[in-house]
Amino acid sequence: HQGFSCYTDPGEMAAALRLNAVGNLKGLLLEEDGFHIYPSMTQDSLRRDLMQGGARIFGSDAVTDLIIEKEKVIGVRTKHEEIYCKNVALCAGAWTGRFLKQFGLSLPMRPARSHRIELSVTGEMPKLPLIYPLQEGNIVIRPMRSGRVLVVYTGQKDPDQETWSQHVDHDLVKAILRGVA
C-alpha cells in the first residue's frame, strides 16, 4: 500500500523500530508519518496464530450458556449449537465477572484503570512511541493521526488504580503530565 511499509522478518522489524530485537512480534505495518496500532490487524494475527495451534475460533454467535460438569466448564451453548472442548478462553474483558456471575461462577480478576490523555504539542515529537517503564505500570506516548499526542498510563500494578471506576484521578493526571514534561 502507498505510504505503508510491511515487515514480517524479525531483523527488519527491529531495524525499522530502532530496537535490538522485537520478541515474538509477528508483523509490523509502519506508516511513513509514524507508527499506529491497528486493532483489527492485531486480532487477525492472533486468530491466525491460535488456529495454527489447533484452536477453533467462534465469534459470530453469542454464548447463551456454559456447559458445566463437576464444576468445570466443558463447553458453551449458543443459539445454534453446543460446542464441547478441553479448554475455554473467555474474552469478555471488563464484563467477565458479570458474565460468570449469572452461572454462579467467579474468576479472580484485578482491574486496572488506565488514563488516556490527549495533548496538543508545540514542538516536534518522535514518530515512534515512547515508553517509560515505571514500577507500577508504563507511560506510553505516541503521536496520533490528528497531530495531537496520546499519553497513556497503564497502571497495571498500581494499587491506587485497582478499580473499575471511570472517574478521572486528577492527582495522577497532574503527576503524569509533570513527569512527561
Side-chain angles (χ1 to χ4, degrees), residues 43-106:
Q43 292 167 356
D44 290 344
S45 176
L46 177 60
R47 276 189 206 98
R48 220 177 6 263
D49 287 351
L50 288 169
M51 289 187 311
Q52 284 177 354
R56 287 180 59 200
I57 307 291
F58 299 89
S60 60
D61 202 0
V63 171
T64 58
D65 201 1
L66 299 176
I67 303 169
I68 302 170
E69 186 176 278
K70 296 181 184 173
E71 297 184 8
K72 181 176 176 173
V73 177
I74 61 167
V76 297
R77 265 187 209 92
T78 71
K79 192 167 140 181
H80 299 97
E81 65 182 315
E82 289 185 353
I83 303 164
Y84 292 88
C85 47
K86 291 180 186 175
N87 298 294
V88 174
L90 182 58
C91 304
W95 300 105
T96 300
R98 184 179 290 174
F99 177 76
L100 290 175
K101 189 176 185 177
Q102 65 185 333
F103 304 107
L105 301 172
S106 64

Side-chain angles (χ1 to χ4, degrees), residues 119-151:
L119 301 174
S120 294
V121 294
T122 56
E124 185 73 24
M125 289 294 294
K127 300 288 186 203
L128 299 174
L130 303 172
I131 301 172
Y132 293 98
L134 302 171
Q135 189 173 3
E136 304 84 13
N138 295 323
I139 294 178
V140 180
I141 305 168
R142 72 172 183 84
M144 298 173 64
R145 289 178 158 262
S146 65
R148 294 171 61 85
V149 172
L150 180 64
V151 179

